[in-house]
Amino acid sequence: MMKKLLSFLFLYFFTVAFGQLHQPVDTADYTQRKDFLTYFSFNTESLIKKSKSDYSGKRGNELSKIYKEFAKEFEKKVKDKDFVFNSIFNVKIKSLIERLRKNNPQIPQNLKILIAKDNTPNAYCFADGTFVINIGLFNWLNNDDQLAAVISHELGHKISDHTLKAFLDIIDQNQTDKIVVQNIKSTKENRNEKAFDLFKNRVYKKGAENRKQEMQADSIGYIVFKNSDFKKTEFINTLKRLEDFDTISPRELKLETYKKYFNLPKQEFKDKWLKKEDFSLYNYSHYKEKLNKDSLKSHPEMVLRINNLKKIFPELKTEAADEKATESYAVLKKTARMETLPDFYHSEDYGVGIYASLQFLQDGEEEDYYKSWLGKCFSKIYEARKNYNLNRYLDRVDPKNQSESYQQFLNFMWNLSLDEIKTIADYYQTKKS
């Protein structure tokens, strides 16, 4: 849930209010989902047959298992409507891929595009050619060229068969580790230390390989990008935007906002709701870090990626401001922003949904729209509290990993009684626009 929260906080920071009614993304896509599942099942079977043909013995069998397990999990997500098939987002991505394909015949023809109901600005491409773009990416980036840059990067992964190579590395490393584990079991001294060293080396090696692949995807992706009619400097600007996502501090939810929206006709605001837990006696420095965080990162720092591209492609040393968004992209950006709450609700992140609604309301955005989502999310929180499973939908306070503002919000939520939650839910669900 913390990942979803951070995604919202960062996406929220650099956006502006939009005074228009929101047209929800059309989810009446049963036929498209059914057709995709048929296509995806066929492609999975083809991958399994090819893996057994190309890699004999244990390698081929293990690769087949990986494809089967992944397909089962992914098909479940499709059936649960985690993706959008019939939307303006799909149309935009298809048009950008066609622009990239004009001068890049190496781009596969069998790409299938899915739009994920996820507010994180991310994209990924699977071994079978399935292309997933998160809705959050449309909100975070500034124009068509930047979106095309992300697509080009993912095409770099696809063209280089990085997914397949990663799976094969896992299989080979598993075999090596089994031998090492047997050797550890046969010894009597320092078993725990040797086992941890095995785990640490495995994690570090995976991180190093992933970082190498990211650099390769940048280079190949940029070649695809520059062969098209997009502005070259936007490739670097895209990486800078993603760097912003990693570094911007979250905004504060003011105490006045709580008092404004929770001082209700049938329930006056209570100062005790804002009381915080005292964590001052807890020693957070007691834990001795055993893993190097830098070695665990799968993506290189954006500065390193940018400098690497400028070294390989000198024309990228020239910098320019972001291109102005086209009218069609501006519509996408607005729609993606308004889909923030429906996406949180779909993923059952009701606590983060309430926090997000309050952030939007604090700046006076689409008040009736976000008040209605406040009611919907509070209703779900009420059901969870009544059924003793609130932990599933609302984080516990974690001073080491949460902002002061989010900790205050969680304290507020946990301080509310069951009846108080119901009063808030009822008020915002029945309130007239």
Side-chain angles (χ1 to χ4, degrees), residues 174-237:
N174 283 342
Q175 291 301 110
T176 302
D177 288 349
K178 283 181 181 179
I179 297 173
V180 177
V181 168
Q182 290 299 322
N183 291 335
I184 292 174
K185 287 181 177 180
S186 66
T187 64
K188 295 182 179 180
E189 297 180 354
N190 300 324
R191 284 187 179 183
N192 290 340
E193 183 178 344
K194 291 177 179 178
F196 182 77
D197 285 342
L198 173 65
F199 165 74
K200 182 174 66 175
N201 292 335
R202 173 75 177 268
V203 172
Y204 287 176
K205 181 178 179 181
K206 186 176 185 298
E209 183 57 36
N210 286 344
R211 291 193 294 274
K212 180 181 176 182
Q213 289 188 352
E214 289 302 314
M215 292 285 199
Q216 290 175 345
D218 280 342
S219 298
I220 296 173
Y222 175 67
I223 292 172
V224 169
F225 186 80
K226 78 171 186 175
N227 287 342
S228 305
D229 58 348
F230 298 102
K231 189 174 180 181
K232 296 180 180 63
T233 52
E234 285 301 288
F235 200 90
I236 295 295
N237 287 342

Side-chain angles (χ1 to χ4, degrees), residues 277-294:
E277 290 185 68
D278 184 8
F279 290 92
S280 60
L281 299 178
Y282 189 86
N283 183 9
Y284 289 105
S285 62
H286 178 71
Y287 173 71
K288 185 178 180 181
E289 190 172 284
K290 292 186 176 182
L291 294 174
N292 185 328
K293 291 181 181 179
D294 291 334

Side-chain angles (χ1 to χ4, degrees), residues 154-167:
E154 295 306 321
L155 286 170
H157 283 302
K158 172 61 180 169
I159 292 168
S160 303
D161 277 333
H162 282 162
T163 301
L164 171 62
K165 291 174 182 176
F167 287 161

Side-chain angles (χ1 to χ4, degrees), residues 36-98:
F36 172 79
L37 287 171
T38 300
Y39 159 87
F40 187 73
S41 178
F42 174 80
N43 269 16
T44 299
E45 289 301 318
S46 298
L47 281 172
I48 290 172
K49 288 180 181 178
K50 190 174 188 305
S51 64
K52 290 182 176 179
S53 172
D54 292 348
Y55 306 97
S56 60
K58 198 167 189 65
R59 262 185 134 200
N61 290 332
E62 290 298 318
L63 190 57
S64 298
K65 287 181 183 178
I66 290 175
Y67 285 138
K68 285 180 181 178
E69 290 173 3
F70 168 78
K72 183 179 179 180
E73 180 64 25
F74 191 70
E75 286 172 3
K76 181 180 183 302
K77 289 180 178 293
V78 174
K79 291 176 182 177
D80 288 343
K81 298 185 178 181
D82 286 358
F83 305 97
V84 177
F85 292 83
N86 186 24
S87 73
I88 56 175
F89 299 111
N90 299 76
V91 174
K92 172 62 73 175
I93 297 298
K94 287 178 182 177
S95 69
L96 294 178
I97 289 177
E98 287 309 309

